[in-house]
């Protein structure tokens, strides 16, 4: 067997590749260029043909080849700049066993593939800045757990097509040791200098989200709302946000806000004057706050474009005539969620059905334990009357209802031909006669298979097999509506 020649006798291009493998880096002057007698595939493929080939691959597969050579790396980075990606760089303290994620998610991959993280170990601020500078033009969404002045400048300078910014679990003083090790270094909160305000103005963001960020305040959020490009604002589980941030809308020349979600915040009052600047809203979510719903009717009357309304977790809220009357004026309302409200009754459902004939989704999940003895009750007859008054229903959530039976579900399906799913989780009388449910199977149903969510019912996941035209879902998942 002949021995391999020494490295010193290798051609220059091949020797550069060997040095690259040994050191893990390529010197600036050692750019990998193949000799004339060693052509690569890049010499035979123009940019359009290469893009067609790479379009067939998942993000994971593409990034898996990025370290082949400098020339190939440059070709991949050039391709990625022409695509749309979500850049992730965050760490959730409640998932402290998961390393920091630093990777890409393709927003136009129908297979929903996720990339392998760039770094499986600690993804610090330096790695974040490097990847942003390399992939900036192709990034349309960024998820991170620290937004400071340095990261904001990096994003502004390199991401001209950025539309969505999500900040997750940004903490001022991380206490968990594992979280402290994984947290992005130099994570001081933004101080809104003129330079920072100019960066926010240049970004032209359309969607801003703050999830589990305990340092976010009304003043912090208002700086983002001052941009005329903002169309959607989401703030969850931030007790320092009390709704005062909305007052800045009166100072804007043009307000394009179409979606407002303040969930689990410190909101206890909304100034009716704010509604004058929320007339373009199509989505309003004020779930799980200390807000008195009696203040809402004057606001809702000015939101004639509302299509989505979420008011979950108000167990003692007053849903009287004034509230129902305000809903009846929302002619475009299609999706309504009032989960865990003890005052929903048959009369209320009937009034909603009359006022919102275009209703497509209704979720009125009730608690199965820990409820008030004097709470209002929704009967099977009331639900059926609602379905007959709103035949366009596509999704119905009645989890926890103790009066609905298998026969009721059959009548609901007959009254709503467009129905796609019914949430029956925790309904005590469901699946007592499984034959009634299986009889709902219609192979050629116009709306497709009917999904019945049967978790915490008498149905047995191992013995109950859904026939064609039905889907028995035994996953005890959250409510019909999800935040993100």
């Amino acid at each position: 067997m002949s021995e391999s020649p020494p490295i010193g006798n290798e051609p220059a291009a091949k020797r550069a590749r060997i040095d690259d493998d040994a050191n893990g880096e390529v010197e600036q002057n050692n750019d990998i260029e193949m000799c004339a007698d060693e052509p690569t595939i890049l010499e035979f493929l123009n940019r359009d043909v290469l893009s067609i080939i790479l379009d067939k691959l998942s993000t994971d597969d593409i990034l898996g080849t990025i370290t082949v050579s400098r020339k190939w790396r440059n070709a991949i980075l050039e391709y990625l700049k022409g695509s749309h990606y979500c850049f992730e760089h965050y760490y959730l303290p409640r998932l402290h066993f998961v390393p920091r994620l630093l990777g890409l998610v393709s927003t136009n991959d129908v297979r929903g593939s996720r990339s392998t993280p760039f770094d499986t170990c600690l993804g610090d601020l330096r790695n974040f800045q490097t990847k942003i500078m390399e992939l900036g033009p192709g990034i349309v969404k960024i998820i991170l757990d620290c937004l400071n002045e340095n990261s904001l400048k990096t994003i502004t300078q390199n991401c001209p097509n950025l539309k969505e910014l999500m900040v997750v679990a940004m903490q001022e003083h991380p206490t968990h040791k594992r979280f402290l090790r994984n947290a992005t270094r130099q994570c001081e909160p933004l101080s809104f200098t003129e330079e920072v305000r100019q960066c926010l103005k240049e970004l032209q963001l359309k969607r801003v989200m703050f999830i589990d960020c305990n340092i976010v305040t009304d003043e912090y959020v208002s700086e983002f709302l001052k941009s005329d490009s903002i169309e959607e604002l989401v703030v969850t589980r931030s007790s320092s946000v009390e709704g005062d941030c909305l007052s800045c809308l009166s100072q804007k020349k043009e307000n394009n806000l179409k979606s407002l979600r303040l969930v689990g915040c410190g909101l206890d009052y909304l100034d009716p004057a704010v509604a004058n600047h929320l007339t373009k809203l199509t989505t309003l979510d004020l779930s799980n706050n200390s807000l008195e719903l009696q203040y809402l009717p004057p606001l809702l009357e000015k939101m004639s474009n509302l299509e989505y309304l979420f008011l979950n977790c108000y167990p003692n809220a007053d849903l009287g005539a004034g509230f129902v009357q305000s809903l009846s004026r929302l002619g475009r309302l299609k999706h309504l969620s009032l989960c865990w409200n003890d005052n929903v009754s048959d009369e209320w459902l009937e009034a909603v059905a009359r006022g919102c004939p275009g209703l497509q989704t209704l979720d009125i999940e009730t608690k199965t334990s820990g409820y008030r003895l004097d709470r209002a009750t929704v009967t099977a007859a009331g639900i059926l009357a609602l379905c007959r008054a709103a035949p366009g229903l596509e999704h119905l959530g009645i989890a926890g209802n103790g009066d609905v039976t298998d026969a009721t579900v059959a009548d609901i399906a007959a009254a709503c031909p467009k129905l796609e799913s019914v949430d029956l989780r925790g309904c005590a009388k469901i699946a007592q006669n499984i034959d009634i449910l299986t009889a709902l199977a219609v192979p050629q149903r116009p709306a497709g298979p009917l999904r019945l969510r049967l978790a915490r019912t008498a149905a047995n996941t191992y013995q109950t097999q859904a026939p064609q035209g039905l889907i028995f879902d035994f996953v005890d998942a959250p409510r019909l509506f999800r935040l993100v």
Side-chain angles (χ1 to χ4, degrees):
M1 181 180 297
S2 60
E3 298 182 357
S4 301
I7 295 178
N9 297 332
E10 295 286 355
K14 190 172 182 179
R15 187 164 62 252
R17 291 197 302 275
I18 295 176
D19 293 339
D20 180 26
D21 293 337
N23 301 326
E25 296 181 355
V26 181
E27 298 291 338
Q28 286 288 339
N29 298 328
N30 289 338
D31 193 9
I32 296 178
E33 296 291 344
M34 305 300 293
C35 297
D37 57 344
E38 297 183 24
T40 68
I41 191 174
L42 296 178
E43 273 72 33
F44 297 99
L45 298 178
N46 59 35
R47 182 179 300 179
D48 294 336
V49 176
L50 182 61
S51 296
I52 293 174
I53 295 174
L54 294 178
D55 285 342
K56 305 294 183 181
L57 302 176
S58 66
T59 310
D60 189 12
D61 293 333
I62 294 174
L63 292 178
T65 67
I66 202 170
T67 57
V68 170
S69 69
R70 178 183 289 273
K71 199 169 187 179
W72 180 257
R73 176 188 178 87
N74 292 338
I76 293 298
L77 292 179
E78 188 66 26
Y79 165 78
L80 292 176
K81 290 179 181 179
S83 302
H84 291 167
Y85 291 91
C86 169
F87 186 89
E88 296 182 337
H89 184 261
Y90 63 94
Y91 173 84
L92 292 177
R94 61 177 178 271
L95 300 178
H96 56 82
F97 53 86
V98 179
R100 170 178 296 283
L101 176 64
L102 179 58
L104 287 180
V105 180
S106 176
T107 60
N108 52 7
D109 189 342
V110 295
R111 292 165 294 186
S113 63
R114 300 179 67 89
S115 72
T116 301
F118 291 113
D119 302 284
T120 56
C121 56
L122 181 64
D124 56 16
L125 187 59
R126 182 182 60 183
N127 287 333
F128 167 77
Q129 293 175 335
T130 301
K131 301 305 178 185
I132 287 291
M133 288 187 288
E134 290 179 342
L135 305 169
I139 297 175
V140 295
K141 180 179 180 179
I142 291 181
I143 305 176
L144 70 167
D145 62 359
C146 175
L147 185 63
N148 55 26
E149 188 170 347
N150 291 333
S151 59
L152 181 62
K153 289 180 180 179
T154 302
I155 293 171
T156 304
Q157 295 169 0
N158 297 280
C159 302
N161 299 314
L162 185 67
K163 300 303 179 185
E164 300 183 30
L165 176 63
M166 180 188 297
V167 186
V168 181
M170 183 167 61
Q171 311 291 327
E172 186 173 11
H173 301 292
T175 56
H176 197 286
K177 293 182 179 179
R178 181 65 181 270
F179 174 67
L180 188 60
R181 289 201 304 271
N182 285 275
T184 304
R185 299 172 186 175
Q186 304 173 1
C187 187
E188 297 84 8
L190 277 176
S191 57
F192 292 95
T193 61
E194 288 301 322
E195 187 176 8
V196 169
R197 290 190 174 96
Q198 183 62 28
C199 288
L200 293 177
K201 185 177 181 180
E202 293 177 4
L203 276 178
Q204 292 295 301
L205 294 170
K206 289 189 176 181
R207 189 184 192 198
V208 178
M209 306 178 69
F210 299 100
I211 312 298
D212 280 338
C213 298
N214 63 5
I215 65 173
V216 171
T217 62
D218 282 302
E219 292 77 14
Y220 194 102
V221 175
S222 63
E223 293 293 340
F224 287 84
L225 278 179
K226 290 178 181 178
S227 173
D228 294 336
S229 62
I230 295 294
E231 296 181 0
E232 181 172 356
L233 172 67
V234 178
V235 183
T236 68
R237 294 178 288 275
S238 179
S239 58
S240 299
V241 175
E242 300 178 351
D244 295 335
C245 56
L246 301 177
S247 60
C248 71
L249 297 177
S250 61
Q251 306 171 8
K252 296 173 60 175
K253 296 181 180 179
E254 184 178 1
N255 176 24
N256 294 313
L257 193 64
K258 297 178 181 178
S259 177
L260 176 63
R261 292 187 166 189
L262 303 178
V263 180
C265 299
L267 189 65
D268 57 4
Y269 175 74
L270 272 180
D271 187 351
V274 172
N276 296 326
H277 311 288
L278 299 176
T279 55
K280 294 184 180 180
L281 278 187
T282 59
T283 300
L284 178 63
D285 188 350
L286 301 177
S287 300
N288 198 20
N289 286 287
S290 301
L291 183 67
E292 293 291 337
L293 295 189
Q294 61 186 4
Y295 296 128
L296 276 186
L299 281 75
L300 294 178
E301 290 177 358
K302 299 181 180 180
M303 301 178 187
S304 58
N305 295 315
L306 269 187
E307 297 181 6
Y308 295 80
L309 180 59
F310 308 82
L311 296 172
N312 301 315
C313 302
Y314 288 94
N316 302 317
D318 181 13
L319 301 178
F323 186 81
V324 175
Q325 186 177 6
S326 63
L327 286 181
S328 64
R329 297 175 180 174
L330 300 177
R332 299 183 181 181
L333 191 64
K334 297 179 180 179
H335 308 272
L336 177 62
S337 180
L338 278 168
C339 297
W340 299 350
N341 189 307
D342 293 343
N343 291 321
V344 176
S345 62
D346 289 349
E347 294 76 12
W348 187 89
L349 287 182
E350 182 181 358
V352 169
R354 288 198 308 267
C356 307
L359 204 60
Q360 297 177 3
T361 305
L362 177 66
D363 195 357
I364 51 171
E365 177 182 348
T366 58
K367 290 184 177 181
T368 55
S369 61
Y371 53 81
R372 300 189 348 250
L373 296 178
D374 60 338
R375 70 171 181 174
T377 57
V378 176
T379 65
I383 295 174
L384 186 56
L386 166 77
C387 294
R388 289 170 177 165
L393 272 179
E394 298 177 1
H395 304 278
L396 178 62
I398 48 178
N401 189 284
D403 193 49
V404 174
T405 63
D406 300 322
T408 307
V409 177
D411 293 337
I412 291 173
C416 302
K418 296 182 180 181
L419 197 64
E420 298 179 10
S421 67
V422 184
D423 188 355
L424 301 167
R425 294 173 300 122
C427 294
K429 297 182 179 180
I430 288 296
Q432 299 292 336
N433 188 347
I434 200 66
D435 293 337
I436 297 180
L437 295 182
T438 55
L440 297 176
V442 179
Q444 303 299 327
R445 197 166 181 270
L450 177 61
R451 179 181 295 272
L452 301 179
R453 304 178 65 186
L454 301 174
R456 292 183 280 120
T457 65
N460 189 309
T461 58
Y462 299 100
Q463 297 178 2
T464 305
Q465 298 295 329
Q468 185 179 3
L470 276 181
I471 298 176
F472 289 165
D473 186 352
F474 295 96
V475 178
D476 197 358
R479 296 185 295 275
L480 292 176
F481 301 99
R482 294 184 179 181
L483 182 64
V484 181

